[in-house]
Amino acid sequence: MRTDDSTAVITGIGSCLPPRVVDNDAVIARGALSTDAGWIRDRTGIERRRHASPGTSTGDLAVGAGRAALASAGGARPDLVLLATSTPDHPCPATAPEVAHRLGLGTVAAFDVSAVCSGFLYALAVATGLVRGGACTAPLVIAAETYTSIVDPADRGTAPIFGDGAGAVLLRPGVRDEPGAVVATDLGADGGGRAAITVPGGGARHPRHLPPPAPDAHYFHMEGRAVYAHAVRRMTWSSDAVLRRAGWPADSVRAFIGHQANQRILDSVGDRLGIAPAHRYGNIRELGNTAAASVPLVLADPSVHRAVVPGERTLLTAFGGGFTWASTALTWPGVKPLAEPPDAAPASRTAALPSRPFAPIPPL
């Protein structure tokens, strides 16, 4: 029976990273960028990132992360799959149903969540609400991105920032005072900022069969200065709001994980909240900005699990295109994260027929 303390609890954590490591010098050479490795490191905090190999899709990474999360949870079977991504395998259909199919989950419900870099926390909030409402008992929340598929390698403002990867968590019903419990959430959006983070072409506003509004319209665009200012303010406000809902003072937080967009943004938010540097965790130096996947990839980092005690107060926050923002207060999970390589795509993925037969249709 649902009580006021009922919530969703993280019972498994998984990750999937492409094996190809790309350092700053390689990014510069690939796009013939007029910059140097030190400038990228000093401006963003990024030294390396992962790039998916040709033929590896967002769905391939999502399957790997989902499989790892299920193994971390001891082989539990999900009854829902939510995939947070802004780089889906196709404009239509959503990528989540195919991911569920490839994970062998039969006909469970599956859908995509598109909130750009806030996507994982949006999906986590949705899954938590569904658990609390009794609509599901084991949602698998995945965030996966292949931003190298939409970033212009010759754009100095975006090419050095983004990497590819996926992270996932499996949830179960539980109560607020156990390790891994989602205690409070905060979500927000301001569509007035939509043009600051965008892929202008390819949608219904500028269909692909018409001349593009600009030669680079199908690439990702970002207004860095405007995004920086909004990201700091919105993540700070949202974090304050979720801490108030949880009833936690900021100085009681023992693990702060912000969206891995830029180290200076993360430092500014942490400073404004009054969270000590010793309690801030991230992997931007090694993985760059993996958009929706960045927060769960830190949750899945074994080094963070060695530093944080299960049950300790944890704050997650993110800001992304739209504009969207989100924060979550949770207790640190007491589970062992696992990692899997990208799942090999079915040979017939682009063929007319599915790689395996459709699920049987039940009789009327």
Side-chain angles (χ1 to χ4, degrees), residues 92-297:
C92 175
T95 305
E98 182 183 354
V99 170
H101 176 70
R102 290 169 61 184
L103 287 171
L105 301 180
T107 57
V108 302
F111 61 92
D112 289 2
V113 175
S114 181
V116 196
C117 300
S118 305
F120 173 74
L121 295 185
Y122 262 68
L124 184 62
V126 170
T128 298
L130 292 172
V131 169
R132 284 179 55 83
C136 63
T137 59
L140 177 62
V141 180
I142 308 172
E145 303 281 15
T146 51
Y147 255 66
T148 52
S149 66
I150 61 172
V151 166
D152 181 355
D155 181 1
R156 190 179 78 158
T158 59
I161 296 173
F162 290 93
D164 303 328
V169 298
L170 183 70
L171 303 174
R172 62 165 174 81
V175 294
R176 286 164 49 109
D177 62 355
E178 59 181 307
V182 178
V183 176
T185 60
D186 178 76
L187 305 176
D190 178 3
R194 62 178 177 79
I197 300 174
T198 185
V199 178
R205 182 68 64 189
H206 296 290
R208 290 183 180 272
H209 67 275
L210 297 180
D216 59 350
H218 297 301
Y219 283 125
F220 177 88
H221 292 256
M222 182 170 66
E223 297 175 11
R225 290 185 179 180
V227 170
Y228 184 102
H230 279 278
V232 171
R233 287 199 297 269
R234 296 299 189 182
M235 285 198 287
T236 301
W237 294 343
S238 181
S239 295
D240 279 333
V242 84
L243 289 175
R244 287 195 302 272
R245 290 173 190 173
W248 296 352
D251 61 7
S252 72
V253 172
R254 290 296 174 265
F256 169 67
I257 298 171
H259 164 52
Q260 306 291 288
N262 180 298
Q263 189 60 53
R264 294 186 300 158
I265 292 175
L266 294 169
D267 291 340
S268 294
V269 175
D271 290 344
R272 292 181 181 213
L273 292 171
I275 297 175
H279 301 313
R280 306 173 192 174
Y281 295 95
N283 52 22
I284 189 170
R285 183 170 68 102
E286 299 297 326
L287 299 184
N289 181 346
T290 53
S294 76
V295 169
L297 281 171

Side-chain angles (χ1 to χ4, degrees), residues 339-352:
E340 291 277 350
D343 189 73
S348 59
R349 186 176 58 177
T350 58

Side-chain angles (χ1 to χ4, degrees), residues 72-95:
S72 170
R77 184 177 179 82
D79 56 4
L80 171 68
V81 175
L82 284 73
L83 174 61
T85 186
S86 49
T87 54
D89 285 3
H90 308 282
C92 175
T95 305

